[in-house]
Amino acid sequence: MNLKFIKKNIFTFIKIISTILITSAIALESWNIYAVITNSNVPSSLNPIFWIERFAMTSHFIESIIAAFYAPSRKKMPIKYATYTFFVGTIGLLELFDQETIDASTL
């Protein structure tokens, strides 16, 4: 098998899983915020999961800021690429920096 073929399939799989997990993390955090507002109780057994999802969301947010900053130099729209990178994570940054065609005026 070709290394590019394997890389493409792995990246696609990671992007799908990452999008599902980040969407789930947003839903979980929304549920937690709703519980705090309505004075409901969230099971304490979920606390480790809350910390993991908060770490993941923070990491993806930082990656999306980096992507938004560098997207114009790669001829991408910052908001679109930042949103894309937020959901797919590091793969989005790797794709952004792996582009072969870089405009010489941006260097």
Side-chain angles (χ1 to χ4, degrees), residues 65-81:
I65 291 172
I66 294 168
F69 182 75
Y70 283 105
S73 69
R74 308 290 193 214
K75 296 186 176 163
K76 302 279 185 184
M77 292 184 63
I79 298 296
K80 280 179 138 181
Y81 212 82

Side-chain angles (χ1 to χ4, degrees), residues 9-30:
N9 285 341
I10 290 174
F11 276 18
T12 302
F13 178 73
I14 292 172
K15 287 192 271 188
I16 291 168
I17 295 299
S18 180
T19 302
I20 291 169
L21 290 175
I22 286 296
T23 304
S24 299
I26 292 170
L28 187 62
E29 194 61 39
S30 298

